[in-house]
Amino acid sequence: MSDDPRPSAFSASTPAGAAGRDDAIVLHELSHAFGDVHALRDVSLRVHAGELFGVIGPDGAGKTTLFRIVTSLVVPSQGSAQVLGLDPVQDFRALRRRLGYMPGRFALYTDLSVLENLTFYATVFGTTIEQGMRIIEPIWRQLAPFSDRRAGALSGGMKQKLALCCALVHAPDLLVLDEPTTGVDAVSRVEFWELLGRLRDGGLTILVSTPYMDEAGRCDRVALMQEGRVLAIETPAAMAASYPLPLFAVRGHDRLAMLAALRASPHAESVWPFGEVLHYTDTRREVQPGALAREIGELLTTRGVRDVEVQPIAANVEDVFMRMAQTPHVAPGQERAA
Amino acid sequence: MSASQRRDTRSERRHDTRLDLGRLFASLRGLVVKETRHVLRDRQTLAILLLMPLVQVLLYGFAIRTDVRGVNVAVVDPTPDAVTRALVLRVDGSVRHDVLDVFPTSDPLEQQFAAGRIRQAIVLPTDVSRRIARAEPLAVQVITDGSDPNAGSAMASYAEAIVRRWYAESVVAERGPAALRGGGSAQIAVETRMRFNPTMESANLFVPGLIALVLTIVSAMMTAIAITREKELGTMEMLLVSPLRPATIIVGKVVPYAVLGIMNIGIVLGAARVVFDVPVRGSIPLLLAQCALYVVTTLALGIVISTGARTQRTAMLAALGGLLLPTIMLSGFIFPIDSLPTPLKAISNIVPARWFLVIVRGIMLKGSGMSVLWQETLVLFGLTTALLAVGIRRLSVRLD
């Protein structure tokens, strides 16, 4: 927790549900159900002003519902929310003026040109492109060459940037982005996160969700979500450092055989395929990682796997997520949220 | 930009947003411009929307010909003489009628109608010339095959006109021109009866029904589709998060379709006028005002559908099944209201097109004014208000 930029905001003295001076969003024990489906269960979190806050979790974790509550589009079944000091249920009109929102699907009119889309959203939010230009200028510079092209004919990355311009044109105090990088190529994703970082540096508070764990490192702090619950809220570094057991990346010619062999090991806590490699977690935290790596390598070689390579590695957010998703009730985030 | 600068712009903004009408109009304009672009860019749909009324006018105009020719007629004349002979000649001489037979009694008519040999019969009483000479009342019956309502009513009115003209001339010939003054023509009673479809309404013109039909498609269906398209695209989510009120969003969206609807009324009326010489006997401003009211009705219907439908497909099916069919079937457009089964007759009362048709037929065909049509207008106005109220109530400031 030492590298949390604003640890004071989490001090126990702040009464639950009340916004501190520097909190842009305070959610207190939010629950939401669609009929029998519980989209959110008891979610509490705070987003500090000026923070780039990521909500990370797989599809169906409740991210979109959470964002719709924050943006006043959905009234929660239970719990309270304060966004920019306003209640999204009562003061939704005042709040909507100050929000920038980019819904899950880029809300663009494909039959209108780039410029027409932006002009339209500017009028809708009661402003003009000229007034909004000082905020959107860095992004608009990349879009301007295509300003007459229909939005439907843009690449995914360009659509994403246009949608961001549309959400920013009225200079909101809080930017909420629901999975902005889903369906966008890797290069555009990197560029987009750089843009978000720059906007945050300009003082904007950003709440962003993503299903890609590898994007967590771009955020100041992240909340891990699964099945409507928040599993943990941490800085990405603290989250990775919180991984309690030795972790190894395992390579070899036969992934299936390795998976079977490692899962059968009495010391295995978990084995997950990560692209071309396996991430193996061993329960023996007292043994030297190097010694463990050698032992695992020998085990696999005796099972007939060729070209075995075992390396001790530092955990990433995905490892943390996978581990917490296995045992949600001992997740460190729970004590904090409660 | 620093955080403090951001806060400054924020408070400025909050200051000047209070009841800013100028900004409201700017937003509305933006919405209308954008929606108009959607309409103009989708050339195929636009072409269909503009050509459809023309095609409909031509289709209905040529398929349901009210211009009848060569109708076979039988005359029943118990006491033939020179006066009745003049009627037979006059009917036979008209371009529309051919007299096949003159019967002394009405007994053969049933069989003649059933066999399809005749489509019309004129039944005279006995002693026609004596009645005319003595200025006694004369009751003439015109029986028409009503299985084709449009042609039937046209045939009936042509025959009636011939009978009346013949009567007037006979009176003048027997008793001098002075006899016609002082309500002399009231001495004849022409009773027109329909065989096969006795309660036939005057469905003699298709144009009023066509206006209702076209507006249902253009205003109601297109509005419903345009609004649900925003839901499907996810742009509705973005619009909802904006400071705009849902009613503003909807008004901005429906304006182009209202304009299209009014253009379509012009196309239907113009084509009917040019191609088929359909007259507007009543006041044109009143007709246009009533059409404008009905445009609002159909827009309200479209809004109500869009508040319930999540996808464009649902909206379209709802508009087709829930609006288009009643507009065709339960409005008196194709089937006369009086000949509907009682439950359907009751339902027809809440079909706006039913009232609109009475109004437009009244204005176009009979030259009626508001003194005659105020009740129907009031009902249509009430229905429209109710629909708008339902539509606006169901507009949500949030996602469902």
Side-chain angles (χ1 to χ4, degrees):
Chain A
M1 271 310 296
S2 58
D3 38 14
D4 187 322
R6 286 175 196 79
S8 63
F10 262 126
S11 67
S13 63
T14 314
R21 258 186 91 79
D22 287 334
D23 286 329
I25 301 174
V26 180
L27 306 180
H28 183 61
E29 291 172 9
L30 275 187
S31 293
H32 193 71
F34 298 101
D36 291 341
V37 183
H38 291 270
L40 287 182
R41 303 164 195 259
D42 244 357
V43 170
S44 298
L45 60 83
R46 285 160 188 272
V47 175
H48 311 313
E51 188 174 42
L52 176 50
F53 190 96
V55 176
I56 297 180
D59 293 347
K63 305 188 295 290
T64 298
T65 306
L66 182 69
F67 281 22
R68 285 181 173 169
I69 291 173
V70 168
T71 52
S72 81
L73 285 171
V74 165
V75 175
S77 313
Q78 270 170 40
S80 66
Q82 260 196 314
V83 181
L84 300 172
L86 298 164
D87 178 349
V89 179
Q90 301 296 323
D91 312 324
F92 65 93
R93 261 183 226 294
L95 175 60
R96 286 176 185 185
R97 287 180 208 289
R98 298 172 55 194
L99 272 184
Y101 178 44
M102 206 171 128
R105 292 158 296 176
F106 306 140
L108 299 171
Y109 298 98
T110 49
D111 55 339
L112 298 188
S113 75
V114 170
L115 188 60
E116 286 164 350
N117 267 288
L118 186 59
T119 311
F120 173 66
Y121 280 115
T123 32
V124 160
F125 285 91
T127 181
T128 61
I129 297 183
E130 291 70 39
Q131 283 175 316
M133 195 46 86
R134 52 191 177 155
I135 293 120
I136 62 171
E137 209 273 334
I139 316 160
W140 181 248
R141 225 183 298 141
Q142 302 175 43
L143 280 167
F146 309 101
S147 64
D148 289 329
R149 190 179 288 190
R150 299 222 172 154
L154 291 177
S155 69
M158 280 296 174
K159 276 186 192 155
Q160 175 199 41
K161 279 171 197 149
L162 176 55
L164 181 62
C165 272
C166 294
L168 277 176
V169 70
H170 60 297
D173 299 319
L174 170 66
L175 182 61
V176 179
L177 310 151
D178 191 5
E179 299 201 4
T181 52
T182 300
V184 173
D185 68 273
V187 176
S188 298
R189 276 166 57 185
V190 171
E191 274 181 31
F192 192 78
W193 279 103
E194 278 165 10
L195 277 175
L196 293 189
R198 249 177 280 156
L199 288 167
R200 184 265 329 270
D201 295 342
L204 185 62
T205 309
I206 302 173
L207 177 65
V208 57
S209 70
T210 176
Y212 305 121
M213 306 280 169
D214 56 323
E215 292 180 344
R218 300 283 186 165
C219 304
D220 296 330
R221 287 192 306 144
V222 294
L224 293 187
M225 278 191 81
Q226 194 202 21
E227 289 170 5
R229 289 180 209 279
V230 171
L231 304 180
I233 303 172
E234 274 291 4
T235 64
M239 196 164 273
S242 73
Y243 203 79
L245 295 172
L247 180 72
F248 302 91
V250 184
R251 279 169 227 273
H253 88 285
D254 187 348
R255 279 206 317 161
L256 277 180
M258 297 195 302
L259 198 62
L262 288 173
R263 287 216 166 131
S265 156
H267 304 296
E269 198 209 39
S270 67
V271 194
W272 298 108
F274 262 67
E276 287 305 297
V277 301
L278 298 179
H279 279 199
Y280 167 75
T281 306
D282 200 285
T283 50
R284 293 165 287 178
R285 80 184 83 186
E286 67 288 348
V287 185
Q288 266 284 317
L292 281 177
R294 271 193 303 282
E295 188 196 314
I296 297 159
E298 283 157 19
L299 169 81
L300 290 174
T301 313
T302 57
R303 296 292 166 88
V305 182
R306 280 178 278 116
D307 310 326
V308 178
E309 219 180 290
V310 183
Q311 269 181 323
I313 53 166
N316 61 30
V317 171
E318 189 161 6
D319 295 311
V320 177
F321 176 82
M322 294 304 270
R323 183 161 190 279
M324 285 179 179
Q326 289 302 93
T327 50
H329 298 293
V330 298
Q334 290 297 95
E335 312 124 37
R336 161 139 333 138
Chain B
M1 185 171 36
S2 77
S4 66
Q5 268 175 315
R6 295 187 61 80
R7 264 177 217 123
D8 286 346
T9 57
R10 187 196 308 169
S11 59
E12 271 166 42
R13 216 183 315 146
R14 217 182 284 162
H15 180 68
D16 63 6
T17 43
R18 286 187 199 132
L19 262 180
D20 194 339
L21 271 180
R23 184 162 290 173
L24 175 68
F25 282 121
S27 304
L28 258 181
R29 223 186 106 236
L31 281 163
V32 172
V33 166
K34 163 236 164 207
E35 199 63 31
T36 308
R37 282 190 176 129
H38 287 319
V39 173
L40 294 180
R41 299 264 157 95
D42 191 354
R43 303 230 168 214
Q44 280 186 330
T45 310
L46 183 64
I48 291 171
L49 291 181
L50 290 178
L51 282 177
M52 180 189 59
L54 196 62
V55 172
Q56 300 251 33
V57 170
L58 296 179
L59 269 181
Y60 279 88
F62 283 117
I64 308 174
R65 292 294 296 232
T66 54
D67 186 17
V68 287
R69 269 159 211 278
V71 178
N72 291 332
V73 182
V75 177
V76 175
D77 183 5
T79 51
D81 58 22
V83 177
T84 57
R85 181 78 196 141
L87 174 65
V88 171
L89 286 177
R90 187 180 272 275
V91 174
D92 201 30
S94 101
V95 287
R96 298 190 172 85
H97 300 86
D98 292 312
V99 176
L100 283 193
D101 282 302
V102 179
F103 298 117
T105 71
S106 54
D107 295 341
L109 293 184
E110 190 65 39
Q111 186 258 327
Q112 295 268 323
F113 267 118
R117 217 175 144 248
I118 57 167
R119 293 175 69 197
Q120 198 163 39
I122 299 171
V123 182
L124 296 169
T126 53
D127 302 326
V128 170
S129 39
R130 202 190 69 219
R131 283 170 207 263
I132 290 176
R134 291 186 190 169
E136 281 175 19
L138 190 74
V140 178
Q141 214 178 32
V142 173
I143 305 170
T144 307
D145 177 346
S147 51
D148 176 347
N150 295 296
S153 78
M155 282 190 274
S157 52
Y158 286 133
E160 187 182 335
I162 294 174
V163 170
R164 285 187 185 279
R165 217 172 305 136
W166 157 78
Y167 178 77
E169 279 174 22
S170 305
V171 169
V172 170
E174 290 283 326
R175 298 190 283 133
L180 273 184
R181 272 181 237 126
S185 60
Q187 294 300 320
I188 183 163
V190 180
E191 186 201 351
T192 58
R193 276 219 219 143
M194 293 294 163
R195 288 289 328 266
F196 310 122
N197 183 7
T199 53
M200 190 184 70
E201 285 239 308
S202 65
N204 56 350
L205 274 180
F206 55 91
V207 170
L210 211 51
I211 294 180
L213 190 68
V214 165
L215 286 184
T216 305
I217 295 174
V218 174
S219 302
M221 190 161 99
M222 292 310 293
T223 300
I225 289 177
I227 296 175
T228 42
R229 182 177 54 198
E230 301 250 2
K231 289 193 197 175
E232 254 181 49
L233 271 175
T235 46
M236 193 50 103
E237 211 170 326
M238 192 80 167
L239 293 183
L240 279 179
V241 171
S242 79
L244 296 183
R245 280 160 202 270
T248 314
I249 300 173
I250 298 297
V251 169
K253 280 200 74 74
V254 303
V255 166
Y257 296 98
V259 173
L260 258 182
I262 289 165
M263 282 169 70
N264 277 323
I265 294 171
I267 293 175
V268 171
L269 287 177
R273 178 84 217 219
V274 170
V275 184
F276 299 108
D277 226 6
V278 174
V280 178
R281 298 211 174 90
S283 147
I284 289 180
L286 177 64
L287 178 64
L288 292 182
Q290 295 278 9
C291 286
L293 172 61
Y294 190 67
V295 167
V296 178
T297 316
T298 49
L299 291 177
L301 281 168
I303 293 168
V304 170
I305 288 182
S306 73
T307 56
R310 283 215 177 80
T311 64
Q312 296 181 61
R313 192 184 306 196
T314 317
M316 198 166 101
L317 289 176
L320 283 177
L323 295 185
L324 209 55
L325 283 182
T327 302
I328 296 173
M329 304 294 187
L330 301 179
S331 66
F333 177 34
I334 304 275
F335 304 115
I337 299 286
D338 288 334
S339 63
L340 292 174
T342 317
L344 289 183
K345 211 186 282 184
I347 294 174
S348 79
N349 284 325
I350 57 161
V351 176
R354 177 215 187 292
W355 304 100
F356 179 66
L357 247 65
V358 176
I359 294 170
V360 176
R361 280 178 177 161
I363 299 173
M364 289 185 66
L365 309 180
K366 298 181 198 158
S368 313
M370 275 305 274
S371 56
V372 181
L373 299 171
W374 64 271
Q375 278 177 312
E376 284 81 5
T377 309
L378 212 59
V379 174
L380 189 60
F381 192 79
L383 281 173
T384 308
T385 315
L387 284 168
L388 274 178
V390 171
I392 288 172
R393 257 183 71 97
R394 290 182 58 181
L395 288 180
S396 179
V397 294
R398 301 202 153 84
L399 295 172
D400 307 339

